[in-house]
CSV table of all heavy atoms in Angstrom, one decimal:
chain,number,residue,atom,x,y,z
A,18,GLU,N,19.9,214.9,118.2
A,18,GLU,CA,20.0,214.0,119.3
A,18,GLU,C,19.3,212.7,119.0
A,18,GLU,O,18.4,212.7,118.2
A,18,GLU,CB,19.3,214.7,120.5
A,18,GLU,CG,20.1,215.8,121.1
A,18,GLU,CD,19.4,216.3,122.4
A,18,GLU,OE1,18.2,216.2,122.6
A,18,GLU,OE2,20.1,216.9,123.3
A,19,VAL,N,19.7,211.7,119.7
A,19,VAL,CA,18.9,210.4,119.7
A,19,VAL,C,17.7,210.6,120.6
A,19,VAL,O,17.8,211.1,121.7
A,19,VAL,CB,19.8,209.3,120.2
A,19,VAL,CG1,19.1,208.0,120.3
A,19,VAL,CG2,21.1,209.1,119.4
A,46,TYR,N,25.4,203.0,112.6
A,46,TYR,CA,25.5,201.9,113.6
A,46,TYR,C,24.5,202.3,114.8
A,46,TYR,O,24.5,203.4,115.2
A,46,TYR,CB,26.9,201.9,114.2
A,46,TYR,CG,27.7,200.8,113.5
A,46,TYR,CD1,28.5,201.2,112.4
A,46,TYR,CD2,27.8,199.5,114.0
A,46,TYR,CE1,29.3,200.2,111.8
A,46,TYR,CE2,28.6,198.6,113.4
A,46,TYR,CZ,29.4,198.9,112.3
A,46,TYR,OH,30.2,198.0,111.7
A,48,TYR,N,22.8,200.9,118.6
A,48,TYR,CA,23.1,200.1,119.8
A,48,TYR,C,21.9,200.1,120.8
A,48,TYR,O,21.2,201.2,120.9
A,48,TYR,CB,24.3,200.5,120.5
A,48,TYR,CG,25.5,200.8,119.6
A,48,TYR,CD1,25.6,202.0,118.9
A,48,TYR,CD2,26.5,199.9,119.5
A,48,TYR,CE1,26.7,202.3,118.1
A,48,TYR,CE2,27.6,200.1,118.6
A,48,TYR,CZ,27.7,201.3,118.0
A,48,TYR,OH,28.8,201.5,117.1
A,50,TYR,N,21.9,199.5,125.0
A,50,TYR,CA,22.5,199.3,126.3
A,50,TYR,C,21.5,199.3,127.4
A,50,TYR,O,20.4,199.9,127.2
A,50,TYR,CB,23.6,200.3,126.6
A,50,TYR,CG,24.8,200.4,125.7
A,50,TYR,CD1,24.7,201.1,124.5
A,50,TYR,CD2,26.0,199.7,126.0
A,50,TYR,CE1,25.9,201.2,123.6
A,50,TYR,CE2,27.1,199.8,125.2
A,50,TYR,CZ,27.0,200.5,124.0
A,50,TYR,OH,28.1,200.6,123.2
A,52,GLN,N,21.1,199.7,131.8
A,52,GLN,CA,21.7,200.1,133.1
A,52,GLN,C,20.7,199.8,134.2
A,52,GLN,O,19.7,200.5,134.4
A,52,GLN,CB,22.1,201.6,133.1
A,52,GLN,CG,22.9,202.0,134.3
A,52,GLN,CD,23.3,203.5,134.2
A,52,GLN,OE1,22.5,204.3,133.7
A,52,GLN,NE2,24.4,203.8,134.8
A,56,GLN,N,24.0,200.5,138.8
A,56,GLN,CA,25.1,199.7,138.2
A,56,GLN,C,25.6,200.3,136.9
A,56,GLN,O,25.2,201.4,136.5
A,56,GLN,CB,24.6,198.3,138.0
A,56,GLN,CG,24.2,197.6,139.3
A,56,GLN,CD,23.8,196.1,139.1
A,56,GLN,OE1,24.3,195.5,138.1
A,56,GLN,NE2,23.0,195.6,140.0
A,57,LYS,N,26.6,199.6,136.3
A,57,LYS,CA,27.2,200.2,135.1
A,57,LYS,C,26.3,199.9,133.9
A,57,LYS,O,25.4,199.1,133.9
A,57,LYS,CB,28.6,199.5,134.9
A,57,LYS,CG,28.6,198.1,134.5
A,57,LYS,CD,30.0,197.6,134.3
A,57,LYS,CE,30.0,196.1,134.0
A,57,LYS,NZ,31.4,195.7,133.7
A,58,VAL,N,26.7,200.6,132.9
A,58,VAL,CA,26.0,200.5,131.6
A,58,VAL,C,26.5,199.2,130.9
A,58,VAL,O,27.7,199.0,130.8
A,58,VAL,CB,26.3,201.7,130.7
A,58,VAL,CG1,25.6,201.5,129.3
A,58,VAL,CG2,25.8,203.0,131.4
A,60,PHE,N,26.3,196.5,127.5
A,60,PHE,CA,26.0,196.4,126.1
A,60,PHE,C,25.0,195.3,125.9
A,60,PHE,O,25.1,194.2,126.5
A,60,PHE,CB,27.3,196.1,125.3
A,60,PHE,CG,27.1,195.7,123.9
A,60,PHE,CD1,26.7,196.6,123.0
A,60,PHE,CD2,27.3,194.3,123.6
A,60,PHE,CE1,26.5,196.2,121.6
A,60,PHE,CE2,27.1,193.9,122.3
A,60,PHE,CZ,26.7,194.8,121.3
A,71,GLU,N,26.6,192.6,116.6
A,71,GLU,CA,27.2,192.0,117.7
A,71,GLU,C,26.2,191.9,118.8
A,71,GLU,O,25.3,192.8,118.9
A,71,GLU,CB,28.4,192.9,118.2
A,71,GLU,CG,29.5,192.3,119.0
A,71,GLU,CD,30.6,193.3,119.3
A,71,GLU,OE1,30.7,194.3,118.6
A,71,GLU,OE2,31.4,193.0,120.2
A,106,PHE,N,19.1,202.3,127.2
A,106,PHE,CA,19.6,203.4,126.4
A,106,PHE,C,19.9,202.9,124.9
A,106,PHE,O,20.4,201.9,124.7
A,106,PHE,CB,21.0,203.9,126.9
A,106,PHE,CG,20.9,204.6,128.2
A,106,PHE,CD1,21.3,204.0,129.4
A,106,PHE,CD2,20.4,205.9,128.3
A,106,PHE,CE1,21.3,204.7,130.6
A,106,PHE,CE2,20.4,206.6,129.5
A,106,PHE,CZ,20.8,206.0,130.6
A,110,THR,N,26.0,205.9,116.1
A,110,THR,CA,27.2,206.5,115.7
A,110,THR,C,27.3,206.5,114.2
A,110,THR,O,26.7,205.7,113.5
A,110,THR,CB,28.5,205.8,116.3
A,110,THR,OG1,29.6,206.6,116.1
A,110,THR,CG2,28.7,204.4,115.7
A,112,THR,N,29.8,206.1,111.1
A,112,THR,CA,31.1,205.4,110.9
A,112,THR,C,32.0,206.3,110.1
A,112,THR,O,33.2,206.5,110.5
A,112,THR,CB,30.9,204.1,110.1
A,112,THR,OG1,30.1,204.3,108.9
A,112,THR,CG2,30.2,203.1,111.0
A,115,SER,N,36.5,207.9,109.8
A,115,SER,CA,37.3,207.8,111.0
A,115,SER,C,36.9,206.5,111.7
A,115,SER,O,35.8,206.0,111.7
A,115,SER,CB,37.0,208.9,112.0
A,115,SER,OG,37.6,208.7,113.2
A,116,SER,N,37.9,205.9,112.3
A,116,SER,CA,37.7,204.6,113.0
A,116,SER,C,37.2,204.9,114.4
A,116,SER,O,36.9,204.0,115.2
A,116,SER,CB,38.9,203.8,113.1
A,116,SER,OG,39.3,203.4,111.8
A,117,TYR,N,37.2,206.2,114.8
A,117,TYR,CA,36.9,206.5,116.2
A,117,TYR,C,35.8,207.5,116.2
A,117,TYR,O,35.9,208.7,115.9
A,117,TYR,CB,38.1,207.1,116.9
A,117,TYR,CG,39.3,206.2,116.8
A,117,TYR,CD1,40.3,206.4,115.8
A,117,TYR,CD2,39.6,205.2,117.7
A,117,TYR,CE1,41.4,205.6,115.7
A,117,TYR,CE2,40.7,204.4,117.6
A,117,TYR,CZ,41.6,204.6,116.6
A,117,TYR,OH,42.7,203.8,116.5
A,118,ASN,N,34.6,207.0,116.5
A,118,ASN,CA,33.4,207.9,116.5
A,118,ASN,C,32.6,207.8,117.8
A,118,ASN,O,32.4,206.7,118.3
A,118,ASN,CB,32.5,207.5,115.3
A,118,ASN,CG,33.2,207.9,114.0
A,118,ASN,OD1,33.4,209.0,113.7
A,118,ASN,ND2,33.5,206.8,113.2
A,119,GLU,N,32.2,209.0,118.2
A,119,GLU,CA,31.4,209.1,119.5
A,119,GLU,C,30.1,208.3,119.3
A,119,GLU,O,29.4,208.5,118.3
A,119,GLU,CB,31.2,210.5,119.8
A,119,GLU,CG,30.3,210.7,121.0
A,119,GLU,CD,30.0,212.2,121.3
A,119,GLU,OE1,30.6,213.0,120.7
A,119,GLU,OE2,29.2,212.4,122.2
A,120,GLN,N,29.8,207.6,120.3
A,120,GLN,CA,28.4,207.0,120.4
A,120,GLN,C,27.6,208.0,121.1
A,120,GLN,O,27.8,208.3,122.3
A,120,GLN,CB,28.5,205.6,121.1
A,120,GLN,CG,29.1,204.6,120.2
A,120,GLN,CD,29.0,203.2,120.8
A,120,GLN,OE1,28.1,202.9,121.6
A,120,GLN,NE2,29.9,202.3,120.4
A,122,PHE,N,24.2,208.9,123.0
A,122,PHE,CA,23.1,208.1,123.7
A,122,PHE,C,21.8,208.9,123.7
A,122,PHE,O,21.8,210.1,123.8
A,122,PHE,CB,23.6,207.9,125.2
A,122,PHE,CG,24.6,206.8,125.3
A,122,PHE,CD1,25.9,207.0,124.9
A,122,PHE,CD2,24.2,205.6,125.8
A,122,PHE,CE1,26.8,205.9,125.0
A,122,PHE,CE2,25.1,204.5,125.9
A,122,PHE,CZ,26.4,204.7,125.5
A,123,GLY,N,20.7,208.2,123.7
A,123,GLY,CA,19.4,208.7,123.9
A,123,GLY,C,19.2,209.0,125.4
A,123,GLY,O,20.0,208.6,126.2
A,124,PRO,N,18.0,209.6,125.7
A,124,PRO,CA,17.7,209.9,127.1
A,124,PRO,C,17.3,208.7,128.0
A,124,PRO,O,17.3,208.7,129.2
A,124,PRO,CB,16.6,210.9,127.1
A,124,PRO,CG,15.9,210.5,125.8
A,124,PRO,CD,17.0,210.1,124.8
B,9,ASN,N,37.3,193.6,129.9
B,9,ASN,CA,36.9,193.9,131.2
B,9,ASN,C,37.5,195.2,131.7
B,9,ASN,O,38.7,195.4,131.5
B,9,ASN,CB,37.3,192.7,132.2
B,9,ASN,CG,36.8,193.0,133.6
B,9,ASN,OD1,35.6,193.3,133.8
B,9,ASN,ND2,37.7,192.9,134.6
B,10,VAL,N,36.7,196.1,132.1
B,10,VAL,CA,37.1,197.4,132.6
B,10,VAL,C,36.9,197.6,134.1
B,10,VAL,O,35.7,197.4,134.5
B,10,VAL,CB,36.5,198.5,131.8
B,10,VAL,CG1,36.9,199.9,132.3
B,10,VAL,CG2,36.8,198.4,130.3
B,37,ASN,N,41.6,200.1,121.7
B,37,ASN,CA,42.3,201.2,121.2
B,37,ASN,C,41.6,202.6,121.2
B,37,ASN,O,42.1,203.6,120.7
B,37,ASN,CB,42.8,200.9,119.8
B,37,ASN,CG,41.7,200.6,118.8
B,37,ASN,OD1,40.5,200.9,119.1
B,37,ASN,ND2,42.0,200.1,117.7
B,38,TYR,N,40.4,202.6,121.8
B,38,TYR,CA,39.7,203.8,121.9
B,38,TYR,C,39.0,203.8,123.3
B,38,TYR,O,38.4,202.9,123.7
B,38,TYR,CB,38.6,203.9,120.8
B,38,TYR,CG,37.7,205.1,120.9
B,38,TYR,CD1,38.2,206.4,120.8
B,38,TYR,CD2,36.3,204.9,121.1
B,38,TYR,CE1,37.3,207.5,120.8
B,38,TYR,CE2,35.5,206.0,121.2
B,38,TYR,CZ,36.0,207.2,121.0
B,38,TYR,OH,35.1,208.3,121.1
B,42,TYR,N,32.5,209.1,129.8
B,42,TYR,CA,31.1,209.7,129.8
B,42,TYR,C,30.8,210.2,131.2
B,42,TYR,O,31.1,209.7,132.2
B,42,TYR,CB,30.1,208.6,129.4
B,42,TYR,CG,30.1,208.3,128.0
B,42,TYR,CD1,31.0,207.4,127.4
B,42,TYR,CD2,29.2,208.9,127.1
B,42,TYR,CE1,31.0,207.1,126.1
B,42,TYR,CE2,29.1,208.6,125.7
B,42,TYR,CZ,30.1,207.7,125.2
B,42,TYR,OH,30.0,207.4,123.9
B,44,GLN,N,27.5,211.2,133.5
B,44,GLN,CA,26.0,211.0,133.6
B,44,GLN,C,25.5,211.7,134.8
B,44,GLN,O,25.8,211.3,135.9
B,44,GLN,CB,25.7,209.5,133.6
B,44,GLN,CG,24.2,209.2,133.6
B,44,GLN,CD,23.9,207.7,133.6
B,44,GLN,OE1,24.7,206.9,134.2
B,44,GLN,NE2,22.8,207.3,133.0
B,47,GLY,N,19.6,210.8,136.4
B,47,GLY,CA,18.4,210.6,135.6
B,47,GLY,C,18.6,211.0,134.1
B,47,GLY,O,17.6,211.1,133.4
B,48,LYS,N,19.8,211.3,133.8
B,48,LYS,CA,20.1,211.7,132.4
B,48,LYS,C,20.9,210.8,131.6
B,48,LYS,O,21.4,209.8,132.1
B,48,LYS,CB,20.7,213.1,132.4
B,48,LYS,CG,19.8,214.2,133.1
B,48,LYS,CD,20.3,215.6,132.7
B,48,LYS,CE,19.3,216.6,133.3
B,48,LYS,NZ,19.7,218.0,133.1
B,49,ARG,N,21.1,211.0,130.3
B,49,ARG,CA,21.8,210.2,129.4
B,49,ARG,C,23.3,210.3,129.7
B,49,ARG,O,23.8,211.4,130.0
B,49,ARG,CB,21.5,210.5,128.0
B,49,ARG,CG,22.1,211.8,127.5
B,49,ARG,CD,21.6,212.1,126.1
B,49,ARG,NE,20.3,212.7,126.1
B,49,ARG,CZ,19.5,212.9,125.0
B,49,ARG,NH1,20.0,212.5,123.8
B,49,ARG,NH2,18.4,213.5,125.1
B,50,PRO,N,24.1,209.3,129.4
B,50,PRO,CA,25.6,209.5,129.4
B,50,PRO,C,26.0,210.4,128.3
B,50,PRO,O,25.5,210.3,127.2
B,50,PRO,CB,26.1,208.1,129.2
B,50,PRO,CG,25.0,207.2,129.5
B,50,PRO,CD,23.7,207.9,129.2
B,52,LEU,N,29.5,212.1,126.3
B,52,LEU,CA,30.9,212.0,126.2
B,52,LEU,C,31.5,213.4,126.6
B,52,LEU,O,31.1,214.4,126.2
B,52,LEU,CB,31.2,211.8,124.7
B,52,LEU,CG,32.7,211.7,124.3
B,52,LEU,CD1,33.2,210.3,124.8
B,52,LEU,CD2,33.0,211.9,122.9
B,57,ARG,N,42.7,208.1,122.0
B,57,ARG,CA,43.0,206.9,121.1
B,57,ARG,C,44.3,206.4,121.5
B,57,ARG,O,45.1,207.0,122.1
B,57,ARG,CB,43.0,207.4,119.7
B,57,ARG,CG,41.7,208.1,119.3
B,57,ARG,CD,41.8,208.8,117.9
B,57,ARG,NE,40.6,209.5,117.7
B,57,ARG,CZ,40.4,210.2,116.5
B,57,ARG,NH1,41.3,210.2,115.6
B,57,ARG,NH2,39.3,210.9,116.4
B,58,SER,N,44.6,205.1,121.1
B,58,SER,CA,45.7,204.4,121.6
B,58,SER,C,47.0,205.0,121.1
B,58,SER,O,48.1,204.6,121.6
B,58,SER,CB,45.6,202.9,121.3
B,58,SER,OG,45.6,202.8,119.9
B,95,PHE,N,31.8,207.5,133.9
B,95,PHE,CA,32.1,206.2,133.4
B,95,PHE,C,33.3,206.2,132.4
B,95,PHE,O,33.3,207.0,131.5
B,95,PHE,CB,30.9,205.6,132.7
B,95,PHE,CG,29.7,205.3,133.6
B,95,PHE,CD1,28.7,206.2,133.7
B,95,PHE,CD2,29.7,204.1,134.3
B,95,PHE,CE1,27.6,205.9,134.5
B,95,PHE,CE2,28.6,203.8,135.1
B,95,PHE,CZ,27.6,204.7,135.2
B,101,SER,N,37.2,199.7,118.5
B,101,SER,CA,37.1,200.7,117.4
B,101,SER,C,36.0,201.6,117.8
B,101,SER,O,35.2,201.3,118.7
B,101,SER,CB,36.8,200.0,116.1
B,101,SER,OG,35.5,199.6,116.0
B,102,GLY,N,35.9,202.7,117.1
B,102,GLY,CA,34.9,203.7,117.4
B,102,GLY,C,33.5,203.3,117.3
B,102,GLY,O,32.6,203.9,117.9
B,103,TYR,N,33.2,202.2,116.5
B,103,TYR,CA,31.8,201.8,116.4
B,103,TYR,C,31.5,200.4,116.9
B,103,TYR,O,30.5,199.9,116.8
B,103,TYR,CB,31.4,201.9,114.9
B,103,TYR,CG,32.3,201.2,113.9
B,103,TYR,CD1,32.2,199.9,113.7
B,103,TYR,CD2,33.3,202.0,113.2
B,103,TYR,CE1,33.1,199.3,112.8
B,103,TYR,CE2,34.2,201.4,112.4
B,103,TYR,CZ,34.1,200.0,112.1
B,103,TYR,OH,34.9,199.4,111.2
B,104,SER,N,32.5,199.9,117.6
B,104,SER,CA,32.3,198.6,118.2
B,104,SER,C,31.7,198.8,119.6
B,104,SER,O,31.6,199.9,120.1
B,104,SER,CB,33.7,197.8,118.4
B,104,SER,OG,33.4,196.5,118.8
B,105,THR,N,31.3,197.7,120.2
B,105,THR,CA,30.6,197.8,121.5
B,105,THR,C,31.5,198.4,122.5
B,105,THR,O,32.7,198.2,122.6
B,105,THR,CB,30.2,196.4,122.0
B,105,THR,OG1,29.7,196.5,123.3
B,105,THR,CG2,31.4,195.4,122.0
B,106,LEU,N,30.9,199.3,123.4
B,106,LEU,CA,31.7,199.9,124.5
B,106,LEU,C,31.5,199.0,125.7
B,106,LEU,O,30.4,198.6,126.1
B,106,LEU,CB,31.1,201.3,124.8
B,106,LEU,CG,31.3,202.4,123.8
B,106,LEU,CD1,30.5,203.6,124.2
B,106,LEU,CD2,32.8,202.7,123.7
B,108,PHE,N,31.9,199.3,129.6
B,108,PHE,CA,32.0,200.4,130.6
B,108,PHE,C,32.6,199.9,131.9
B,108,PHE,O,32.4,198.7,132.3
B,108,PHE,CB,30.6,200.9,130.9
B,108,PHE,CG,30.1,201.8,129.8
B,108,PHE,CD1,29.4,201.3,128.7
B,108,PHE,CD2,30.2,203.2,129.9
B,108,PHE,CE1,28.9,202.1,127.7
B,108,PHE,CE2,29.7,204.0,128.9
B,108,PHE,CZ,29.1,203.5,127.8
B,109,GLY,N,33.2,200.8,132.6
B,109,GLY,CA,33.5,200.6,134.0
B,109,GLY,C,32.3,200.7,134.9
B,109,GLY,O,31.2,201.1,134.4
B,110,LYS,N,32.4,200.5,136.2
B,110,LYS,CA,31.3,200.5,137.1
B,110,LYS,C,30.9,201.9,137.5
B,110,LYS,O,29.8,202.1,138.1
B,110,LYS,CB,31.5,199.7,138.3
B,110,LYS,CG,31.5,198.2,138.0
B,110,LYS,CD,31.6,197.4,139.3
B,110,LYS,CE,31.5,195.9,139.0
B,110,LYS,NZ,31.6,195.1,140.2
B,111,GLY,N,31.7,202.9,137.1
B,111,GLY,CA,31.3,204.3,137.4
B,111,GLY,C,31.9,204.8,138.7
B,111,GLY,O,32.2,204.1,139.6
Side-chain angles (χ1 to χ4, degrees):
Chain A
E18 287 187 333
V19 177
Y46 265 89
Y48 312 82
Y50 292 85
Q52 186 179 31
Q56 298 187 23
K57 68 177 175 178
V58 178
F60 168 74
E71 207 174 341
F106 291 105
T110 193
T112 52
S115 171
S116 296
Y117 307 94
N118 291 297
E119 176 182 353
Q120 289 187 24
F122 282 75
Chain B
N9 182 49
V10 177
N37 56 16
Y38 175 64
Y42 284 82
Q44 186 180 30
K48 297 195 174 178
R49 74 187 79 193
L52 182 75
R57 306 171 187 181
S58 61
F95 290 96
S101 75
Y103 49 85
S104 187
T105 173
L106 290 172
F108 285 86
K110 288 188 176 180

